[in-house]
Amino acid sequence: MSPFTGSAARTARWEHLRVELADGVAHVTLARPDKLNALTFGAYADLRDLLAELSRERAVRALVLGGEGRGFCSGGDVDEIIGATLSMDTAQLLDFNRMTGQVVRAVRECPFPVVAAVHGVAAGAGAVLALAADFRVADPTARFAFLFTRVGLSGGDMGAAYLLPRVVGLGHATRLLMLGEPVRAPEAERIGLISALADEGCADTAARELARRLADGPALAHAQTKALLTSELDMPLAAAIELDASTQALLMTGEDYAEFHAAFTEKRAPKWRGR
């Protein structure tokens, strides 16, 4: 994401999200607890635009995405989205579906790691948002459900058919996307859908601790690692190795690489600057 901006000012207030920035860590909360944080058109758009802004600013080194209340996110709002889409024409439907995909791309392409703190339900679009994150820290109450076929749509929504097989394998992905059955935290941990299982009630705290650890580390190295993980998913080995080589050569000219050597020599901890 280019850091160059036009004349538009930074957004001062997000209507559909609660956003806190502190010491390089962004805490983004889906704040509609009375609806289990069901997503609206505005919530999708806010997530897309917020991630673009944070990516340009280069002040964020890690982000925690969580949900307020009893669950992470129950997916698209049945009345405000599903009901509304029934009266849309094909062009409007394509615009909407492209927007939801842009949110997932923004999560995958932002230059900082995203940690999803999942408790309670993560269903439909909520499950895909968690899936798109770099890390999923889950409470024992967490349950994931890719419900798209249960409303008569393809299970491959918002990039789910691309991302899920790469996280849990084709067999598990086929079962989850075809049947839409919920996967509770113990099974999610077993098949690799979650990165870490926290104690009950502690997913947000554990996610924040992980984000703090990431933010205190070599931010540029993390950004490039994330970019390579995404870029190389569909590359042949030779192309991936060449991209690795050029990336490492560039990072070897950076301040953090030299700082590691100085810190090692002086027997102290590195002072990472993300450069």
Side-chain angles (χ1 to χ4, degrees), residues 25-110:
V25 178
H27 301 106
V28 179
T29 305
L30 304 173
R32 207 175 171 222
D34 56 318
K35 297 285 188 177
L36 273 175
N37 301 315
L39 298 167
T40 61
F41 295 114
Y44 279 115
D46 271 3
L47 277 170
R48 175 199 61 195
D49 296 345
L50 170 65
L51 287 163
E53 282 196 14
L54 295 178
S55 296
R56 286 193 299 268
E57 290 178 3
R58 301 295 169 96
V60 172
R61 300 189 298 278
L63 183 148
V64 176
L65 177 63
E68 185 178 328
R70 295 180 294 114
F72 177 72
C73 176
S74 59
D77 189 285
V78 173
D79 294 321
E80 293 195 31
I81 288 186
I82 296 179
T85 54
L86 294 175
S87 62
M88 290 182 178
D89 61 28
T90 302
Q92 292 171 316
L93 291 169
L94 186 55
D95 283 341
F96 165 64
N97 283 283
R98 282 176 172 162
M99 177 177 70
T100 64
Q102 287 164 359
V103 176
V104 170
R105 284 191 60 184
V107 174
R108 292 304 316 145
E109 295 176 3
C110 62

Side-chain angles (χ1 to χ4, degrees), residues 105-272:
R105 284 191 60 184
V107 174
R108 292 304 316 145
E109 295 176 3
C110 62
F112 43 78
V114 176
V115 183
V118 183
H119 71 290
V121 66
V128 184
L129 281 180
L131 175 66
D134 301 288
F135 300 89
R136 285 160 296 284
V137 177
D139 182 285
T141 64
R143 60 189 186 278
F144 301 81
F146 298 87
L147 297 174
F148 307 107
T149 59
R150 294 198 170 194
V151 300
L153 297 176
S154 164
D157 194 62
M158 296 172 63
Y162 178 89
L163 292 170
L164 193 57
R166 289 162 169 80
V167 173
V168 302
L170 181 60
H172 290 305
T174 300
R175 172 172 60 91
L176 299 183
L177 295 183
M178 285 277 193
L179 300 179
E181 294 176 344
V183 180
R184 298 186 180 276
E187 183 186 2
E189 183 181 33
R190 178 179 63 80
I191 66 177
L193 182 55
I194 62 176
S195 311
L197 186 61
D199 293 334
E200 187 166 350
C202 296
D204 186 69
T205 299
R208 288 174 182 246
E209 290 174 352
L210 175 56
R212 179 76 269 151
R213 175 183 170 188
L214 290 163
D216 289 342
L220 185 57
H222 290 159
Q224 292 305 308
T225 301
K226 176 171 180 172
L228 292 179
L229 284 167
T230 299
S231 299
E232 293 181 12
L233 285 172
D234 297 312
M235 281 187 183
L237 178 60
I241 288 174
E242 180 61 24
L243 182 57
D244 287 351
S246 59
T247 300
Q248 294 295 54
L250 288 171
L251 289 176
M252 285 174 177
T253 68
E255 294 180 21
D256 279 353
Y257 186 64
E259 166 61 13
F260 165 77
H261 184 261
F264 181 83
T265 303
E266 297 166 15
K267 295 181 172 56
R268 59 173 175 82
K271 299 176 182 176
W272 304 115

